[in-house]
Amino acid sequence: MTPVIEIIVVGNEILSGRTQDLNAAYMIDRMGLHGFTVRYESVIGDTVSDISEAFRIASGRSNVVLVTGGLGPTSDDVTVQALADAFDRELVLDENVLSHIESLFKRRKWFMSESNKKQAFVPAGAVPLTNSMGTAPGVLLKYDECSIFLMPGVPLEMQKMFDRVIFPRIQEEFEPEHVETASIKVSGLGESAIYDRIGHLPGAKKYFSYYPGTDGIEIKIRTDADAPMAAPQLSAEIIDILGDTVYSSKGESLETVVGNMLIAYGKTIGVAESCTGGYISHLLTNVPGSSAYLLAGVVVYSNESKHTVLGVDNSHIGQYGAVSAKVAGAMADGIRRITGASIGLSTTGIAGPGGGSVEKPVGLMYTGLSTVTETMTKKLQFVEDRLINKKRMSQAVLNILRLHLKKRFELS
Amino acid sequence: MTPVIEIIVVGNEILSGRTQDLNAAYMIDRMGLHGFTVRYESVIGDTVSDISEAFRIASGRSNVVLVTGGLGPTSDDVTVQALADAFDRELVLDENVLSHIESLFKRRKWFMSESNKKQAFVPAGAVPLTNSMGTAPGVLLKYDECSIFLMPGVPLEMQKMFDRVIFPRIQEEFEPEHVETASIKVSGLGESAIYDRIGHLPGAKKYFSYYPGTDGIEIKIRTDADAPMAAPQLSAEIIDILGDTVYSSKGESLETVVGNMLIAYGKTIGVAESCTGGYISHLLTNVPGSSAYLLAGVVVYSNESKHTVLGVDNSHIGQYGAVSAKVAGAMADGIRRITGASIGLSTTGIAGPGGGSVEKPVGLMYTGLSTVTETMTKKLQFVEDRLINKKRMSQAVLNILRLHLKKRFELS
């Protein structure tokens, strides 16, 4: 049987956002690799009645409930009490657990306080689970069709207990799903445009997920045994339909793909940025080894620097404005010339929030691409706030570079 | 009445751990500042029946249910359907929403697909909420004592809607707890060093939280009626103890603080980046109006460009290596000279993962600061991966610039 799995994270510090929970992500990741999927996750504060209620809800809908946190010795650690309350059990002293805790304190030469004894109590009928790293034992309580596992909240203790004791039990008792996965990254098409083109594919509704980011959209496919087509076949169909807009089926970033193309074709670039403010250079230099093809970048924010650094004709700036195709082209030519790169790239635009007008609204960008044989420019319009605009503009420019390289150098 | 508040995050990408949810933390933070505490949080996948069930559970225990995600146009966006199912409502077309979506597409000159029309349907009796940033409207449904708010999952759209439409309604209808808050941002001190210095203050354990980020550590204080000292007094004590390392008590970013100082003191800068790859320019240009002080930035990744663009002496690169105090100083001088700025800043180092050696390990950085009267350099060592190193290095340089400006221009 494939289990319904639920995670409950206990702790005021998590619920208040003071501490980021890492335990849920750890378990989701480990189980996902083996075909076990989590269906519900919740975060509850250190209140006995709230936790009890969460346990009762969970036991009615899940086969495996993985609980972290609230097993410590202090007064705000109430998870065991809440488990006992939820299913009307007494708390009973477990002699084995007590002697484990006592020996741990003796070994560490620490003074054992009364509050530590509390950790040796478990609900009647529950099984304590070894904690090789600390005093708080884990707990397993079976209720109806549901196994509830309590784990400590300290990540290292929790991970050891999960890996060594709990996940092996889950794998022994339950069957994983048969899953296959694929990823396709797309630039230059919106989520709804993608959906309109691939939404008719068999299993699209059930097995496709869309993850929009500043580097385009990632389409994730995860098929199970019931799927009409497996993930790799669906992936091939999607790539066929979406064509040039697909830039990776291996999860790579756009800057990695572009970098690999530049290396493969033996090309170098120089980048002159106005509205993107250095973000294109930042993306390119996120890739180790990018010094092989990025000769230099410049951030020319002022009109004066466009002239002094890149040699853009002041009269062009006067006549057409700094945000114009003419200036974008001259900037791309300029950076190519001063760096000696094979390709010059440029951006000039209005990131916002100020600086817009009716003719040149916020989000307007011109980008230039200069090679020894030609200078191309393109006008694009974005609509977000300053920071998002910078990121989307930068990604759009990298995508233009990618399509240029593809057209020029790939055999068709 | 003080409300019981619950958050439900919808999305397979969150539940599977593929995307980190930022929306819950955002709302918890914003509401916490005003005395509203979240009691339950859960994450549910894109399955109609699971989401419906979560809505029913929530409506029985909470007064305010804040739901994010699943309002998009694709087939895995099912939150509105789930809301209709949970309370047996029909979905009805809202003409106002439809015309908002149509006008948005017209303005962007995009083709509007059938799937976008889906976003104009709301459950009968529910109120659509304006989304100024995108096509998906929010939804408010009242059921018994409970107000359920649906918001888009895209953080920017969600934040705008929460701040402008939803949180004002909550504040109007409900009473907050009595809380006072303060924020202190610190650069150049680690979390444990900060704790060692301020951990003895009254209420520190209960009322202080620490949020480490690439721009240093933010200390947040949130005191209630029982606190021995209120947040503003504690904040003043902390600022007194931590001195120069505090760069903001208003939540501003480091680049905003530095930008304001440059404007106040009438100074301009030029930035020459090697290992930080454009990230310093990116941070500076994230601040609207930064063209007033950032004259130009250059990204000189190769040794050759350090020479050709900035005039760094090739013999210095040969003798000391590109990653050296000598070259950092020459780069800072060079960028100051070619831009005509009052201050030149530079970075040269090894971001990783490759390029390290025993003498010059990964994470080593030299930074230079050049003015008309002096050239200073500083050696710093970082220990993270490439991307984190770039960000931490960039922040360290901005902090050095801040301390320089403070020392030079602030009356003591």
Side-chain angles (χ1 to χ4, degrees):
Chain A
M1 187 185 95
T2 307
V4 175
I5 303 178
E6 171 155 7
I7 291 177
I8 298 175
V9 178
V10 175
N12 284 337
E13 77 284 8
I14 310 287
L15 189 58
S16 70
R18 265 180 295 164
T19 304
Q20 196 198 332
D21 174 56
L22 302 169
N23 292 334
Y26 182 83
M27 292 188 282
I28 287 166
D29 207 46
R30 303 288 285 188
M31 292 192 289
L33 286 175
H34 295 88
F36 291 96
T37 311
V38 171
R39 180 123 157 230
Y40 308 96
E41 181 189 333
S42 33
V43 183
I44 307 281
D46 301 310
T47 306
V48 180
S49 57
D50 288 354
I51 306 171
S52 283
E53 191 196 354
F55 287 161
R56 279 191 296 265
I57 292 170
S59 68
R61 66 187 182 187
S62 299
N63 305 110
V64 174
V65 182
L66 299 163
V67 186
T68 63
L71 300 189
T74 60
S75 60
D76 60 351
D77 292 305
V78 295
T79 306
V80 173
Q81 182 67 58
L83 184 64
D85 287 5
F87 305 107
D88 285 323
R89 306 286 170 106
E90 294 292 308
L91 282 179
V92 292
L93 181 74
D94 187 296
E95 293 292 345
N96 286 331
V97 174
L98 184 62
S99 64
H100 166 74
I101 296 174
E102 282 170 349
S103 75
L104 205 67
F105 273 84
K106 218 169 270 170
R107 222 167 64 220
R108 296 188 188 175
K109 300 200 172 78
W110 285 352
F111 170 74
M112 184 169 157
S113 66
E114 268 308 300
S115 62
N116 288 105
K117 230 183 205 170
K118 174 184 142 193
Q119 297 183 299
F121 284 83
V122 297
V127 182
L129 305 172
T130 313
N131 179 352
S132 56
M133 310 281 297
T135 54
V139 173
L140 164 60
L141 180 72
K142 293 206 175 198
Y143 182 84
D144 280 353
E145 298 294 294
C146 181
S147 296
I148 303 174
F149 295 93
L150 309 189
M151 288 166 269
V154 180
L156 209 68
E157 296 185 17
M158 176 265 144
Q159 290 170 13
K160 286 269 156 69
M161 190 181 288
F162 182 76
D163 287 347
R164 293 182 185 173
V165 184
I166 294 173
F167 192 36
R169 274 176 183 258
I170 295 172
Q171 286 178 294
E172 210 180 276
E173 193 168 345
F174 297 99
E175 269 169 44
E177 298 166 64
H178 172 79
V179 294
E180 288 190 90
T181 60
S183 148
I184 295 149
K185 294 183 86 173
V186 175
S187 181
L189 267 187
E191 196 174 338
S192 49
I194 292 174
Y195 183 73
D196 287 344
R197 295 182 199 193
I198 67 171
H200 68 281
L201 288 173
K205 280 203 175 180
K206 187 165 176 191
Y207 301 110
F208 295 7
S209 322
Y210 305 86
Y211 301 83
T214 49
D215 63 340
I217 312 268
E218 181 169 10
I219 307 161
K220 280 278 190 189
I221 311 166
R222 187 175 187 278
T223 53
D224 57 24
D226 303 334
M229 272 172 88
Q233 283 78 39
L234 285 166
S235 170
E237 293 265 351
I238 291 174
I239 292 170
D240 202 45
I241 293 169
L242 300 181
D244 264 0
T245 65
V246 174
Y247 67 83
S248 180
S249 57
K250 297 177 202 140
E252 299 152 309
S253 67
L254 185 53
E255 54 270 25
T256 301
V257 170
V258 167
N260 289 341
M261 290 171 95
L262 288 165
I263 290 173
Y265 307 137
K267 298 292 157 188
T268 56
I269 55 170
V271 182
E273 305 183 60
S274 181
C275 56
T276 49
Y279 200 74
I280 297 176
S281 289
H282 167 59
L283 289 176
L284 288 167
T285 60
N286 280 348
V287 182
S290 45
S291 54
Y293 45 84
L294 176 64
L295 298 193
V298 299
V299 178
V300 283
Y301 227 54
S302 64
N303 289 347
E304 201 185 322
S305 61
K306 290 180 181 70
H307 171 67
T308 54
V309 177
L310 294 174
V312 176
D313 204 325
N314 271 332
S315 71
H316 285 165
I317 296 176
Q319 189 177 347
Y320 304 99
V323 179
S324 62
K326 197 84 182 172
V327 169
M331 287 171 66
D333 290 340
I335 190 69
R336 186 175 61 77
R337 198 178 53 246
I338 65 171
T339 58
S342 5
I343 299 167
L345 280 182
S346 71
T347 62
T348 180
I350 301 150
S357 66
V358 176
E359 301 85 47
K360 296 185 178 180
V362 165
L364 175 66
M365 175 183 76
Y366 290 90
T367 174
L369 191 158
S370 164
T371 68
V372 70
T373 54
E374 56 185 338
T375 302
M376 292 155 285
T377 61
K378 192 162 180 176
K379 180 181 176 179
L380 293 164
Q381 181 68 50
F382 298 82
V383 291
E384 312 287 343
D385 79 352
R386 183 178 182 86
L387 191 50
I388 304 280
N389 277 341
K390 282 176 72 179
K391 292 182 176 179
R392 289 201 194 276
M393 286 169 169
S394 298
Q395 294 288 347
V397 172
L398 291 184
N399 196 43
I400 286 170
L401 174 60
R402 177 181 71 85
L403 292 171
H404 167 78
L405 291 168
K406 198 173 161 74
K407 198 173 117 196
R408 282 291 299 274
F409 299 107
E410 274 188 19
L411 298 172
S412 55
Chain B
M1 187 184 96
T2 307
V4 175
I5 304 179
E6 171 155 5
I7 291 177
I8 298 175
V9 177
V10 176
N12 284 338
E13 77 283 10
I14 310 286
L15 189 58
S16 69
R18 286 204 29 84
T19 303
Q20 197 198 332
D21 174 56
L22 302 171
N23 292 334
Y26 182 84
M27 291 188 284
I28 288 167
D29 205 49
R30 303 290 286 191
M31 291 192 291
L33 286 175
H34 295 87
F36 292 95
T37 311
V38 171
R39 178 121 158 235
Y40 307 96
E41 180 189 334
S42 34
V43 183
I44 307 281
D46 302 308
T47 306
V48 179
S49 56
D50 289 354
I51 305 170
S52 285
E53 191 196 353
F55 287 160
R56 280 190 297 263
I57 292 171
S59 68
R61 66 185 182 188
S62 300
N63 305 110
V64 173
V65 182
L66 299 163
V67 186
T68 63
L71 301 189
T74 58
S75 61
D76 60 352
D77 293 304
V78 295
T79 306
V80 174
Q81 182 66 58
L83 184 64
D85 288 4
F87 305 106
D88 285 324
R89 308 285 172 105
E90 294 292 309
L91 283 178
V92 292
L93 181 74
D94 188 296
E95 293 293 344
N96 287 332
V97 174
L98 184 63
S99 65
H100 167 73
I101 296 174
E102 282 170 347
S103 74
L104 205 67
F105 273 83
K106 218 170 270 170
R107 218 168 70 220
R108 296 189 189 175
K109 299 198 173 81
W110 285 352
F111 171 74
M112 181 169 160
S113 65
E114 268 307 303
S115 57
N116 288 103
K117 231 185 208 165
K118 174 185 139 191
Q119 298 182 299
F121 283 85
V122 297
V127 182
L129 306 172
T130 313
N131 180 352
S132 55
M133 310 284 299
T135 54
V139 173
L140 163 59
L141 181 72
K142 293 204 175 200
Y143 183 83
D144 280 351
E145 297 294 294
C146 180
S147 295
I148 302 174
F149 294 94
L150 309 190
M151 287 166 268
V154 180
L156 208 70
E157 296 185 16
M158 177 264 142
Q159 291 171 13
K160 288 264 157 70
M161 189 180 289
F162 181 77
D163 288 347
R164 294 182 185 174
V165 184
I166 294 174
F167 192 35
R169 275 176 183 257
I170 295 173
Q171 287 177 293
E172 208 180 278
E173 193 167 347
F174 297 100
E175 269 170 44
E177 299 164 63
H178 172 79
V179 293
E180 289 191 88
T181 61
S183 148
I184 295 150
K185 295 183 87 172
V186 175
S187 182
L189 267 188
E191 196 173 340
S192 49
I194 292 173
Y195 185 75
D196 287 346
R197 294 181 199 196
I198 67 170
H200 67 282
L201 289 173
K205 278 204 178 175
K206 187 165 175 192
Y207 301 110
F208 294 8
S209 320
Y210 305 87
Y211 299 82
T214 50
D215 63 342
I217 312 269
E218 181 168 12
I219 307 162
K220 287 196 183 168
I221 310 167
R222 185 177 189 275
T223 53
D224 55 25
D226 303 333
M229 272 172 88
Q233 283 78 39
L234 285 166
S235 169
E237 294 264 351
I238 292 174
I239 290 169
D240 201 44
I241 294 169
L242 300 182
D244 263 1
T245 64
V246 174
Y247 67 83
S248 180
S249 57
K250 296 178 202 140
E252 299 153 310
S253 67
L254 186 51
E255 54 270 24
T256 300
V257 170
V258 167
N260 289 342
M261 290 171 95
L262 289 165
I263 289 172
Y265 307 136
K267 298 292 158 187
T268 56
I269 55 170
V271 182
E273 304 184 61
S274 181
C275 57
T276 49
Y279 200 73
I280 297 176
S281 288
H282 167 59
L283 288 176
L284 289 167
T285 59
N286 280 348
V287 182
S290 45
S291 54
Y293 44 85
L294 177 64
L295 297 193
V298 299
V299 179
V300 282
Y301 227 53
S302 63
N303 289 348
E304 203 184 320
S305 61
K306 289 180 182 71
H307 171 67
T308 53
V309 178
L310 295 173
V312 176
D313 204 325
N314 271 332
S315 70
H316 286 165
I317 296 176
Q319 191 178 345
Y320 304 98
V323 179
S324 62
K326 198 83 181 173
V327 169
M331 287 171 65
D333 290 340
I335 190 69
R336 185 175 61 78
R337 199 177 52 247
I338 64 171
T339 58
S342 9
I343 299 167
L345 279 182
S346 71
T347 62
T348 178
I350 301 150
S357 65
V358 176
E359 301 85 48
K360 296 186 177 178
V362 165
L364 175 67
M365 175 182 75
Y366 290 90
T367 173
L369 190 158
S370 165
T371 68
V372 69
T373 55
E374 56 184 338
T375 303
M376 292 156 286
T377 62
K378 192 162 180 178
K379 181 181 174 179
L380 293 164
Q381 181 68 51
F382 298 81
V383 293
E384 311 288 343
D385 77 354
R386 184 180 182 84
L387 192 50
I388 304 280
N389 277 341
K390 283 176 71 180
K391 292 181 175 178
R392 288 201 195 278
M393 287 168 168
S394 299
Q395 295 287 348
V397 172
L398 290 184
N399 196 42
I400 286 170
L401 174 59
R402 177 180 71 87
L403 292 171
H404 167 79
L405 291 169
K406 197 172 163 74
K407 199 173 117 195
R408 282 291 300 276
F409 301 105
E410 274 188 21
L411 299 173
S412 54

